[in-house]
Amino acid sequence: MAKPTFKRQCYIKRHLRPLYRKHSRCSSINLGHGNYSLYINRVLKEVVPNRGISSYSVDIVNILINDIFERIATEACQRMFLRKRCTLTPGDIQQAVYLLLPKKLATLAVTFGSKAVHRFIHS
């Protein structure tokens, strides 16, 4: 006798979802890009307290941040694979920043990033 071919469903948060669907272990990849609008507004208020920014401008800056982050992450992963390692080191990220950004901006980014990591570890 043939088995019925209907799919088993589970009821979660008012949505039916198949049980057999696999979830990836790298769930952060599937979530999309980060939203930095809150941080953009905070930094702007620190730098220029009397000025505001439109939501359209915040969206453009957010896209810029995500694009730069993606480029740095891709280049750092290529550096990691070139070394035939499985661990992403700060040196890989620094090399990626030096390759992608102009000289002065890269040195500032690396120094401020190193200071931020140092403060985070020692706090």
Side-chain angles (χ1 to χ4, degrees):
M1 189 97 204
K3 292 183 180 180
T5 58
F6 61 90
K7 297 177 186 175
R8 291 176 42 187
Q9 304 279 332
C10 67
Y11 188 72
I12 296 175
K13 293 184 183 179
R14 299 183 189 150
H15 296 288
L16 291 176
R17 173 176 72 114
L19 279 175
Y20 60 85
R21 188 158 76 196
K22 290 185 179 180
H23 296 287
S24 69
R25 292 186 177 162
C26 300
S27 62
S28 62
I29 294 171
N30 296 333
L31 290 177
H33 297 293
N35 188 3
Y36 301 102
S37 61
L38 178 67
Y39 307 109
I40 293 167
N41 286 323
R42 283 184 186 172
V43 169
L44 181 69
K45 288 298 176 187
E46 268 186 38
V47 176
V48 188
N50 300 332
R51 296 285 179 171
I53 188 169
S54 67
S55 61
Y56 182 71
S57 301
V58 170
D59 289 339
I60 290 173
V61 174
N62 197 18
I63 290 169
L64 176 72
I65 291 170
N66 284 322
D67 183 47
I68 294 294
F69 178 75
E70 187 176 336
R71 287 182 189 194
I72 290 172
T74 304
E75 187 65 36
C77 285
Q78 288 176 359
R79 297 273 141 210
M80 181 184 69
F81 289 135
L82 284 174
R83 292 186 314 116
K84 297 180 182 173
R85 304 286 179 166
C86 294
T87 306
L88 187 64
T89 62
D92 296 331
I93 298 171
Q94 287 179 2
Q95 287 178 357
V97 169
Y98 281 125
L99 286 172
L100 292 173
L101 298 178
K103 185 177 182 180
K104 185 69 175 176
L105 186 61
T107 54
L108 286 172
V110 168
T111 55
F112 283 123
S114 299
K115 285 180 187 177
V117 169
H118 182 63
R119 274 193 311 238
F120 178 74
I121 290 173
H122 290 50
S123 65

